Structures are given as structure tokens and as C-alpha cells.
Amino acid sequence: KQTSNTNSTYNRAAAAQYARQHAKSYNTAYPSWGADCTNYVSQCVYAGGMPKITASSHSNANDSHWYLTNATNYSPSWTGADWFMRHWAKVREYGNYVYNGRAYSVRIYTKDYVLNNKATVGSFISVGDVVHYLSASNSNAYHSTIISVKNSNTDIQFCAHTDDRLNEDFFTYISGSDVDSHEFIVVVKISNT
């Protein structure tokens, strides 16, 4: 899926730099949660220059919003993996209005496809892209990571919170036991630059 949202102001290098800086040293300007992966990825994307979309209050926030002002006022898409994916990637309708998400492009892969086509998958992935992992049982995103380094199409690294990771190998992670063989891997390309 590709949208017309080029998001040309997204600074991939700034997002990745923030990711590396705060992968193991949390930014105290933000609250943190036990499952902090999406809060962290949102911080990275925000540090890359993507603007927040606020709601009048936390109780009014839905997946069309993306923001955090403090520990009690934030959108579910700032802190929840599935909500983040819906905000940036999901096509949905509200009445006569179709909302295509804010990301430029999204690709969905199976574990086997990724591992058997590393160079092809790697050619799509860029520094600053967000990667979600979807449960095999219900296709809900349960984990968010961000690409922090790309040396080649087969040498790609990511950062994450919850299980704090700094520049871990993307393909090694997918081949391991953390990713089930029936899960989906969704790459959210925030911008086309």
C-alpha cells in the first residue's frame, strides 16, 4: 500500500539518532511504561520531525490522533503498537471520509518470506522505518521497533524498548524464537525520502 503522504519533513537520520541515544538510556522528559516499545518509537518518529495530532482530551483520543503531553494525556496510538499501526498505516472509513493513514507506504511480510528474501525485503527498508510484529492468533500488533542502521540490504539493525535493544541485527531477531513462524512483520515507511 502506498499513499500520497510523502512526509518530506521526516528526518530519518534524526529519528535513528534519537533511537540509538535512548535505546538503553530513557529520556526522562517522557513518561515510561512497563511495555514501553511504542512510546519509545513514537518519541523517535517525533524527534524525526513528524507533527503530533492532538485531541481535546485523552478520553476523546482515537487512532486518528497521535500525541503525548504527559502521563495522563496521550493518544492510544502514541503508546500502543496496534493503535500506532492503525494511525500510520490503516485504511478505514468514517462516514463518507476515507482515512488512509499518515505513512507513505506499508508492506506486510511473513517470517518465512523475510528470511528467504533478505535482500528484497532489505531493499525496501530504510533507516527510520518502523517495524511492527503482529500476533498470529488475531493479527494485532504487539511490538514496535525502529530501524537505526542500514549498512546494506542484508545488514540492517534496529532499536527497541521493553526488551531494550541497541542496534540489534534485524534478520537475526526475525529468525529467532521471539518471532513466531505464523506472525506478520509490517514495515511502516513514514516518508518517501
Side-chain angles (χ1 to χ4, degrees), residues 8-21 44-49 126-129 146-150 191 193:
S8 58
T9 61
Y10 185 54
N11 184 329
R12 294 174 171 285
Q17 179 182 356
Y18 184 97
R20 292 187 300 271
Q21 181 180 355
C44 296
V45 171
Y46 182 65
S126 301
V127 166
D129 287 351
I146 188 164
I147 302 299
S148 55
V149 175
K150 181 176 179 180
S191 77
T193 56

Side-chain angles (χ1 to χ4, degrees), residues 63 134 186:
D63 63 2
L134 278 60
V186 177

Side-chain angles (χ1 to χ4, degrees), residues 22 24 33 51 58 60-61 80 105 116 142 158-159 168 171 187-188:
H22 295 288
K24 300 221 175 189
W33 285 268
H58 177 69
N60 292 330
S105 185
N116 291 320
Y142 69 88
F158 72 94
C159 293
E168 296 259 343
F171 294 110
V187 179
V188 178

Side-chain angles (χ1 to χ4, degrees), residues 121-140:
V121 172
S123 69
F124 177 74
I125 293 174
S126 301
V127 166
D129 287 351
V130 174
V131 180
H132 292 290
Y133 297 88
L134 278 60
S135 169
S137 63
N138 60 14
S139 297
N140 285 340

Side-chain angles (χ1 to χ4, degrees), residues 5-145:
N5 304 333
T6 59
N7 297 323
S8 58
T9 61
Y10 185 54
N11 184 329
R12 294 174 171 285
Q17 179 182 356
Y18 184 97
R20 292 187 300 271
Q21 181 180 355
H22 295 288
K24 300 221 175 189
S25 175
Y26 286 37
N27 184 345
T28 57
Y30 289 93
S32 63
W33 285 268
D36 196 59
C37 63
T38 307
N39 173 39
Y40 164 72
V41 165
S42 287
Q43 292 172 41
C44 296
V45 171
Y46 182 65
M50 292 308 298
K52 296 176 181 178
I53 298 177
T54 60
S56 58
S57 70
H58 177 69
S59 61
N60 292 330
N62 58 43
D63 63 2
S64 67
H65 303 100
W66 180 72
Y67 72 96
L68 178 140
T69 56
N70 58 50
T72 60
N73 187 23
Y74 57 90
S75 64
S77 57
W78 186 278
T79 59
D82 201 60
W83 287 85
F84 182 103
M85 189 178 68
R86 284 189 269 168
H87 174 79
W88 290 96
K90 185 177 177 187
V91 175
R92 59 197 175 280
E93 289 186 36
Y94 291 119
N96 294 326
Y97 179 70
V98 177
Y99 182 82
N100 288 313
R102 290 174 68 190
Y104 170 69
S105 185
V106 178
R107 294 230 178 131
I108 303 171
Y109 301 105
T110 63
K111 178 175 181 169
D112 283 345
Y113 183 86
V114 170
L115 296 177
N116 291 320
N117 300 278
K118 291 179 183 177
T120 300
V121 172
S123 69
F124 177 74
I125 293 174
S126 301
V127 166
D129 287 351
V130 174
V131 180
H132 292 290
Y133 297 88
L134 278 60
S135 169
S137 63
N138 60 14
S139 297
N140 285 340
Y142 69 88
H143 189 43
S144 305
T145 65

